[in-house]
Amino acid sequence: MGRRLLGIWFLRLASEASQRRRPVEGPFALVRRVGNADQLHCLNADAQQHGLHRGMALANARAICPDLCTRPADPVAEAAALASLRRWAMRYSPLVARDGDDGLLADITGAAHLFGGEAELLADLHDGLARAGLSAVAGIAGTRAAAHALARHGGGIVADGQLMQGVMHLPVQALRIDAATAAALGRAGLTHVADLAALPRGPLARRFGVDLMMRLDQLLGHQPEPVAAEPEAPHFGVRLTLPEPIGLTADVMAGLERLLGRLCDHLSHHQHGARRLRLDLSRVDRETLTVEIGLARAMRDPDRMAALFARGLDDIDAGFGIEAMRLTAPVTEALAPGQIVMGQAGQGADAMADLLSRLGNRLGFDAVLRFLPMDSLIPERSFQLAAAAYSCAARGFGGTGPARPLRLFPPRPVAPTSDPRPGTPPAGFAWQGQVLTTLRAAGPERIAPEWWLDDPDWRSGLRDYWRIQTHQGPRLWLFHTPQDPGWQVAGEFA
């Protein structure tokens, strides 16, 4: 028996997957942005019956069908749906590969008899997809190109040993050639595979290119084309079934430590680190308790992970006992083996990561922020706030350049108690209900506005900043604008 391949084409995968999540009655289409216009990406059967088609401009589609319901296309969700279908199709073969964005290819050599034959296998496949609400066409042939072509041009089965006769009726578009080549073949009167097979290869190759002959050879099996299925992503999860139910926190921690050791070995084998951990505790009454923690950076250290679980495990209600434990790492990152750091530097980095993890699990990782430098001399634009768990600290930030106040706030005007001499700060001024007198002053530091940005606060022009130490204690950052005389406070030093 020769090689047998199964091709599956999902006619409306994106739209049907979207409707499974949120059903819609009537004409429906997914829309994507192409250039400066919105186009139809995938339609349901009702929309096609109104004369709409893929690639049509959305404005034209609405003119034809005013009741059309649309949603933005979601390529990530579409790829996830195809990945789920690929796993489902592995019931027919262990070797299943993607075929574009809306198709699958499976090598079913020696597997069809398990379903009673190839016709019964196709019937079982169509029944399963119909129950899931998915429209699909499938075909079985002896080559990958032939299975792909059959799936997209009517489906069916080409019997083993009859490949040549079974594909002659297919149109030239089934050869996976570009639209320009297909149009040129049509103008020459060559519309089917049989028309090409009857002609000499040399003139065809000179006129239409060698790619056409390669595709024809792949279809007829003269040039091999393997099915390259991508490897399955590793699953980072371990499970522990207990001989007797447990309920003490110390016992749960002991089981967790065993699971963490096994999980970290698995992570280390694949050179990954966990960013999120989930512990599911199955009670004897069939209830499941879940404790989930996040990590500020990728990690596979069981001792440090166990310490982060301690607070969550104190709050669980074990009921009549816990009989099973399952630990998974739903979010991971690549983490190559690193040099063991001796001394305080490595310990400090680990301690900071643990601190961020503890704060993030209590407050939320988006609520723990750090300052990062920005390439700007404007004080308000010289830094930005970023989530500490998803950013790296900047070395030397704040250690160079002129001193900056710990607190920056929008400029607040002050009232000098006497007219200052030109080019010097006031000897006394009123601020926040108190009269302050200047003890020491350092400056000026002149900062010009960034002319390429239109900032309303800096339209008055350049500023001269002074560091003021007052007799009363406050250390303030004052500035005045030569073009608009007047003194204002922009910050306060620690």
Side-chain angles (χ1 to χ4, degrees):
M1 181 178 179
R3 189 183 183 204
R4 305 298 288 164
L5 292 155
L6 167 67
I8 310 171
W9 177 45
F10 300 98
L11 283 70
R12 294 176 284 271
L13 175 62
S15 62
E16 290 174 344
S18 179
Q19 285 188 294
R20 279 174 60 87
R21 295 190 297 270
R22 287 189 295 162
V24 174
E25 297 292 336
F28 171 78
L30 295 177
V31 179
R32 66 176 179 178
R33 192 77 174 176
V34 179
N36 295 324
D38 290 328
Q39 294 183 359
L40 302 187
H41 171 63
C42 190
L43 306 80
N44 67 355
D46 288 342
Q48 290 181 331
Q49 290 175 0
H50 283 77
L52 308 184
H53 58 83
R54 185 187 292 251
M56 175 182 284
L58 178 59
N60 297 338
R62 290 202 181 279
I64 297 173
C65 181
D67 297 332
L68 178 67
C69 178
T70 63
R71 290 177 194 157
D74 189 348
V76 175
E78 186 177 349
L82 187 61
S84 298
L85 289 168
R86 189 182 77 86
R87 290 191 294 270
W88 174 81
M90 292 180 71
R91 67 190 301 240
Y92 302 107
S93 168
L95 190 60
V96 183
R98 297 171 184 261
D99 187 18
D101 295 332
D102 55 2
L104 297 172
L105 278 168
D107 191 335
I108 59 170
T109 304
H113 72 280
L114 301 174
F115 299 86
E118 294 178 348
E120 289 75 10
L121 185 150
L122 281 186
D124 182 81
L125 183 143
H126 283 113
D127 288 344
L129 294 175
R131 288 193 299 270
L134 299 174
S135 304
V137 181
I140 298 177
T143 65
R144 173 175 179 164
H148 170 96
L150 283 175
R152 284 160 174 76
H153 295 86
I157 300 175
V158 174
D160 188 22
Q162 299 182 10
L163 180 62
M164 182 70 73
Q165 299 88 336
V167 299
M168 289 296 106
H169 69 284
L170 294 174
V172 293
Q173 289 82 359
L175 292 172
R176 298 176 293 171
I177 56 178
D178 58 83
T181 303
L185 289 170
R187 289 192 296 269
L190 306 174
T191 57
H192 292 81
V193 174
D195 300 330
L196 299 177
L199 296 177
R201 297 174 59 89
L204 279 177
R206 286 193 297 271
R207 182 171 180 181
F208 299 105
V210 295
D211 287 344
L212 174 64
M213 308 315 303
M214 179 192 69
R215 293 301 188 187
L216 183 61
D217 288 341
Q218 289 174 343
L219 179 72
L220 301 178
H222 302 321
Q223 182 168 331
E225 191 177 8
V227 176
E230 60 268 28
E232 288 288 340
H235 172 69
F236 299 107
V238 289
R239 184 180 178 86
L240 177 63
T241 302
L242 303 168
E244 293 291 338
I246 60 175
L248 297 178
T249 302
D251 295 336
V252 177
M253 283 297 297
L256 174 63
E257 290 171 359
R258 292 181 59 183
L259 292 175
L260 282 170
R262 291 163 53 193
L263 179 65
C264 289
D265 289 342
H266 190 33
L267 289 167
S268 179
H269 176 73
H270 291 278
Q271 295 190 11
H272 271 65
R275 285 299 301 267
R276 186 165 292 277
L277 293 173
R278 178 189 176 98
L279 176 64
D280 295 315
L281 304 173
S282 300
R283 300 194 315 196
V284 295
D285 58 358
R286 303 305 180 190
E287 291 291 332
T288 300
L289 308 175
T290 299
V291 180
E292 192 166 356
I293 66 167
L295 301 171
R297 66 175 184 176
M299 184 188 305
R300 51 172 180 257
D301 187 331
D303 294 334
R304 294 165 58 198
M305 290 176 174
L308 297 173
F309 271 105
R311 181 172 177 267
L313 292 179
D314 287 339
D315 299 331
I316 65 170
D317 179 12
F320 294 103
I322 295 169
E323 61 180 359
M325 305 172 64
R326 183 170 181 265
L327 180 66
T328 57
V331 180
T332 63
E333 293 179 1
L335 181 63
Q339 178 69 37
I340 297 176
V341 179
M342 304 299 293
Q344 297 297 321
Q347 296 176 6
D350 291 343
M352 177 58 71
D354 291 344
L355 175 62
L356 293 177
S357 297
R358 291 179 184 276
L359 293 175
N361 285 301
R362 294 191 180 191
L363 307 176
F365 283 94
D366 292 333
V368 183
L369 307 176
R370 65 158 46 104
F371 289 97
L372 296 178
M374 296 289 290
D375 187 14
S376 176
L377 296 178
I378 302 298
E380 298 85 353
R381 298 202 196 102
S382 61
F383 65 91
Q384 67 173 347
L385 290 173
Y390 311 118
S391 59
C392 296
R395 295 184 177 180
F397 178 38
T400 59
R404 290 289 182 262
L406 182 63
R407 294 177 56 210
L408 283 174
F409 39 76
R412 302 171 184 174
V414 299
T417 57
S418 61
D419 293 334
R421 291 181 300 170
T424 62
F429 53 90
W431 183 66
Q432 288 189 342
Q434 58 180 330
V435 177
L436 305 176
T437 55
T438 301
L439 175 63
R440 287 185 296 272
E445 177 190 350
R446 176 160 290 185
I447 300 178
E450 296 173 338
W451 55 265
W452 56 92
L453 297 175
D454 184 17
D455 188 342
D457 294 334
W458 283 77
R459 289 176 181 171
S460 58
L462 56 85
R463 299 176 179 178
D464 287 337
Y465 283 85
W466 291 79
R467 299 192 301 276
I468 305 296
Q469 171 68 62
T470 65
H471 283 277
Q472 291 76 14
R475 301 174 61 238
L476 303 176
W477 206 33
L478 272 67
F479 74 87
H480 82 103
T481 303
Q483 295 86 348
D484 184 16
W487 289 86
Q488 301 187 66
V489 177
E492 184 174 5
F493 292 91

